[in-house]
Every structure is written in C-alpha cells, then in structure tokens.
Amino acid sequence: MVTRDSVRVFSLNCWGIRYLSKHCRQRYAMIGDMLCKEEHDIVLLQEVWSERDYLFLKKKLACSHPHSHYFKSGVIGSGLAIFSKHRIHDTFLYRYSLNGYPYMAHHGDWFGGKAVGMAILSIGSLTANVYVTHLHAEYCREKDSYLPHRVVQAWELQQFVRHTSAGADVVILGGDLNMHPQDLGNRLLMSYTGLRDSYLETDKFDGCENGLTLIADNAFISKKELGPFEEGIRIDYILFKGSPKMDIFCDSMSTTKGSVPDHPFPYSDHEALTAELRLESHTLAEIGGGKQSKDQDSAAEKVAELVDIVTEARTEVKVGLHCAESMRYTATRTAAMGLALLFLELFIAAVPWLALGAEQPFPRTSFYLLAVLCFAILLTTSLLYIFYTMELKSLQGAEDQMRLALGSLQEKLRGFPLAQPHNAQRKSPEGQEPSAFDPEE
C-alpha cells in the first residue's frame, strides 16, 4: 500500500538589516501578509537579523504557522528562522568554524555568525529533518578571497546533514548558499549528501528564467552587484531527499519575479522560492520486493566523481592555508617591528638616567604619541596573530578530514571491478540518490 502526502516549502533571504536595508519594516509586513495567505507547511527565512522582526512575524503568523524557532548566533545573530504548521520537536544550531574576517566590517559576514539550523518535525507519522542555512557571500567572483571559507562551510554543512539525518524519513534543506549551481561547494554538498535540487527535479516551474534568485529586474539590485551575470544568478535553493521507506518528488516550484503586485517594491533583494514536495511511503514488503528506479550512473563512476570533487576542495583549502600562513607571518613580522620600536623608545627614555644632566632628545608629546602607536601596533598584530592561528587550525582540521575521506573513497573505488557491465547500476528507492558512504552490495 502506498500512502501519499505533500509539503509546501518556502525559502527567502529577507535582507532584514534594520536601519540599513531599504523599507525593512514595510517589507516584513508584506512578507507576513503573504505567508498568512499562502498555505506553506514550512517557512525557512534568512537574514532576519533583528529578533524584534522575528517576534513580529511570530505574532503575525501565530494562526497559520503556530510553531517557530529563531536560531541565535554571533554578534548580531545567525539571521535564521523557521516557521511551521507541524510541531517542532527539537532544534540544533551548528556554527561554521570559518566565516570571513572581523576587520572586513563593511561585509559583515563575520559578525553574523553564519550557521546551519536544524529542526526535527513530525509530518503525520513521518520524521522530517529540516535545515536552514546561509553561507558566506562571494562579493567578487574574479578574485574571491572567501572561497576557501565557503568551501569549508559547504564541507561542514554536508557533514552536519549526513550525520544528523540518518534516522529521518525526509530531509529538506533551504537557504541562501551563495553558490552557483556548478560551484565547487555546491557539487560537494549535493554529491556527498544525495540531496536533490527542486529546480532541476520539477517539470512544472513558474518563475524567473533559469530559476534565478538574484535578478537585475529587482528594484533593490544594481547591475554592479551581479558582475558579469547581467541577467542574474541562482544562489538560493530548496534541496531534498527521501529515505529507504520514503520517496520524495518535486511536483512544482516557483519563484517571485522582482516586483510584487499592488506593492511599490519587492519582498527582498532576493527572490522567494516555493517548492511543492510529494511524499510517498511504502510498506516493508514493497521495499523488500525492490522497486524500479531511474537509471543512475554506476556506483564506481559516482565514487570516482566524488574523489575528484573532494580533491578539488582539498586543493582550495590548501590555498587558503597558504594565505593564512602568509598573513600570520606578516602579523608576526609587524609585531616584531612594533616591539623593536618600543624597545628603542624605552632606550631613548633611559638616556637622561644613564647620562646625568642630559636632556630628553624628543619632545614629550611626540614621545607619548610614539608609545601609543607602538602599543596599538602590538595589540592589533597580537589579535591578528590569534585570529589567523584560529583560521589555520580550522583550515587544517578541514583538510585533515578531507584527506581521511579521500582515502576512504579511494579504497572504496579500488574495491570495484574494472568492468561492471551489469551490476554497476545500483538501484535505490526512486527519487533518492545513494550516499557516498552507503554500504556496498
């Protein structure tokens, strides 16, 4: 016997920086009104930077979405929130170990404490693990100094999803990944977890061309932000996968298209996503009998592809390691220069004591200003040295994990016969891709 259910999932980067984002209060009111009217089961929001705005939405959505949670992290919060028609049983927040640089205050990512939030829901008799996240922004594609950080975030995200979703019937991940569909971090996430992209999986799509979520037609977007991608980019996603006893399909997906009818401006600088997911559960007898599934690449090819992706990610992390080591060396050298200058100043200050009757060769004001400068250099470089040491350890930890995973994948790859004309095709429940660490048949 087959039982069917459906879940409507909504995701939006709200661009909710109080006093800085344009028309912030009015847009939250618009978002709240829209969510009250629409019949979304799960709402995943990012960049809800103010808890006051979350409480406003919680009050407004009390009837339509009685269950909610706000994930707190960093200096100004993670900005992540979830609203649900279904009961939330448990939540957990994992903060990424790398998240930009504190001295890049105009970007602000470090202060946001980027993270992934998890909520465990009950959808009827099913257990659903729902994740909402927001990764570090790109800012400049030609010279992306944050790429190693974002790759490590994608690595930690896939680890978190894999290790926490083992007992779930349904897995849903939504948010602003700040990565194009074919970017390294995105391929790493999708290949390792088996998550599938709603936009690519549905035959019924209504929205911006090519599923773009940051578009030139949005009133809050300047073409300068899009760089070489004049029409827009796709960096917001709703991803999903099922389980051995649960198939999941995306029946339809839609995005907003910039302007909102009867309103003077859009909901946000990002477009909102809505995915209609269909769940089909089966009895154990049907599972044991084996079902016909979509044709898939051989398991060996999948593992080989994953080896290439992890190798590429490891190479990018090594680049970040080299940069961090260079910056730490620069901080150490600058601190040494500041310390030498301070000792020189102390020596000059001691001249009148060593040579009786000698006068201080420098004006007192200049002497004190130089001392303040020396202490400022020492303090700043010491803080930078500590920060770059922490960055180094996080990058080294990620690189070590990738090295171990790569060895495991290569060992698994060597276990496949050279030629597999028939048994290379691994069959899994329809709509569910095998994980990189599924046991071999």
Side-chain angles (χ1 to χ4, degrees):
M1 187 179 82
V2 178
T3 59
R4 293 181 174 85
D5 205 347
S6 64
V7 178
R8 292 195 67 195
V9 183
F10 176 90
S11 178
L12 173 64
N13 180 322
C14 297
W15 191 42
I17 311 173
R18 271 184 172 261
Y19 313 115
L20 293 179
S21 299
K22 297 178 181 178
H23 311 294
C24 194
R25 292 181 62 184
Q26 297 95 318
R27 289 189 294 105
Y28 271 119
M30 291 165 53
I31 293 170
D33 291 337
M34 179 266 293
L35 292 176
C36 284
K37 295 177 183 176
E38 299 288 340
E39 296 181 354
H40 300 109
D41 294 279
I42 300 170
V43 175
L44 306 173
L45 303 181
Q46 309 93 55
E47 289 204 17
V48 185
W49 295 120
S50 171
E51 191 169 359
R52 289 172 58 188
D53 293 325
Y54 161 73
L55 294 174
F56 166 79
L57 288 175
K58 182 178 181 179
K59 182 177 180 181
K60 196 174 186 69
L61 303 178
C63 294
S64 60
H65 298 83
H67 309 285
S68 65
H69 186 78
Y70 185 63
F71 297 94
K72 301 176 183 178
S73 174
V75 178
I76 59 175
S78 68
L80 305 176
I82 179 172
F83 295 87
S84 173
K85 287 185 176 181
H86 306 280
R87 183 181 175 187
I88 298 176
H89 293 283
D90 198 3
T91 61
F92 186 77
L93 181 77
Y94 175 78
R95 183 174 174 180
Y96 299 123
S97 60
L98 291 173
N99 190 38
Y101 305 100
Y103 51 81
M104 301 294 283
H106 59 294
H107 288 163
D109 293 75
W110 185 84
F111 298 94
K114 296 292 178 65
V116 51
M118 177 188 76
I120 300 178
L121 313 179
S122 288
I123 302 177
S125 61
L126 304 176
T127 298
N129 277 30
V130 179
Y131 303 86
V132 57
T133 191
H134 187 192
L135 271 58
H136 198 294
E138 188 174 65
Y139 295 109
C140 179
R141 191 159 184 86
E142 291 76 18
K143 191 177 180 181
D144 185 7
S145 58
Y146 298 114
L147 180 57
H149 285 212
R150 197 161 49 254
V151 169
V152 171
Q153 288 182 345
W155 174 258
E156 293 177 347
L157 175 59
Q158 66 84 14
Q159 283 185 313
F160 183 75
V161 171
R162 282 195 301 113
H163 293 310
T164 59
S165 63
D169 300 311
V170 179
V171 178
I172 298 170
L173 187 152
D176 178 3
L177 300 184
N178 272 312
M179 297 184 292
H180 296 228
Q182 292 304 315
D183 281 357
L184 172 60
N186 222 337
R187 289 184 282 122
L188 188 66
L189 171 65
M190 304 277 280
S191 298
Y192 245 114
T193 61
L195 288 166
R196 294 148 55 205
D197 188 346
S198 297
Y199 172 72
L200 299 178
E201 292 292 324
T202 187
D203 293 326
K204 185 178 179 182
F205 175 76
D206 178 26
C208 302
E209 186 178 359
N210 299 319
L212 304 178
T213 59
L214 213 61
I215 61 174
D217 291 339
N218 189 298
F220 297 131
I221 294 293
S222 65
K223 290 189 175 181
K224 183 180 178 181
E225 295 179 61
L226 299 176
F229 307 97
E230 295 183 357
E231 294 183 357
I233 55 180
R234 185 161 81 95
I235 58 176
D236 301 86
Y237 301 85
I238 294 177
L239 311 177
F240 63 89
K241 72 172 183 177
S243 63
K245 66 176 183 179
M246 174 62 57
D247 289 344
I248 181 168
F249 308 90
C250 184
D251 285 342
S252 65
M253 183 186 176
S254 63
T255 70
T256 52
K257 303 176 183 180
S259 60
V260 179
D262 303 323
H263 290 89
F265 37 76
Y267 294 118
S268 173
D269 59 343
H270 288 240
E271 301 308 314
L273 291 76
T274 300
E276 183 86 29
L277 305 179
R278 173 166 45 92
L279 313 178
E280 291 189 3
S281 60
H282 302 267
T283 64
L284 292 176
E286 290 173 313
I287 297 172
K291 299 182 302 173
Q292 294 298 322
S293 63
K294 299 177 182 178
D295 290 335
Q296 301 178 355
D297 294 331
S298 69
E301 289 177 351
K302 285 185 175 295
V303 174
E305 180 185 7
L306 194 50
V307 167
D308 292 338
I309 294 173
V310 176
T311 301
E312 186 180 352
R314 190 181 175 195
T315 301
E316 195 58 53
V317 170
K318 286 181 177 180
V319 171
L321 272 170
H322 176 75
C323 293
E325 288 172 346
S326 176
M327 294 301 291
R328 187 172 72 164
Y329 174 74
T330 300
T332 304
R333 188 174 56 181
T334 306
M337 293 173 59
L339 189 61
L341 187 61
L342 181 61
F343 280 131
L344 178 61
E345 187 178 19
L346 292 175
F347 176 77
I348 294 172
V351 168
W353 299 344
L354 299 175
L356 299 176
E359 295 183 359
Q360 178 60 255
F362 290 108
R364 183 169 296 180
T365 303
S366 300
F367 186 83
Y368 288 149
L369 287 176
L370 186 59
V372 170
L373 177 62
C374 292
F375 280 114
I377 291 174
L378 284 172
L379 178 62
T380 303
T381 52
S382 297
L383 292 174
L384 287 175
Y385 180 87
I386 293 172
F387 175 81
Y388 288 122
T389 299
M390 294 170 61
E391 182 186 16
L392 268 172
K393 289 186 181 297
S394 295
L395 287 167
Q396 288 169 347
E399 198 272 335
D400 287 343
Q401 293 167 7
M402 291 178 182
R403 174 174 51 81
L404 291 172
L406 195 58
S408 176
L409 289 170
Q410 289 171 338
E411 183 178 349
K412 184 175 182 180
L413 188 61
R414 286 193 294 269
F416 287 100
L418 292 178
Q420 296 182 342
H422 300 293
N423 63 349
Q425 296 290 331
R426 287 191 69 182
K427 298 296 183 179
S428 63
E430 187 174 357
Q432 180 191 355
E433 298 182 12
S435 166
F437 294 102
D438 280 346
E440 297 179 14
E441 297 178 340

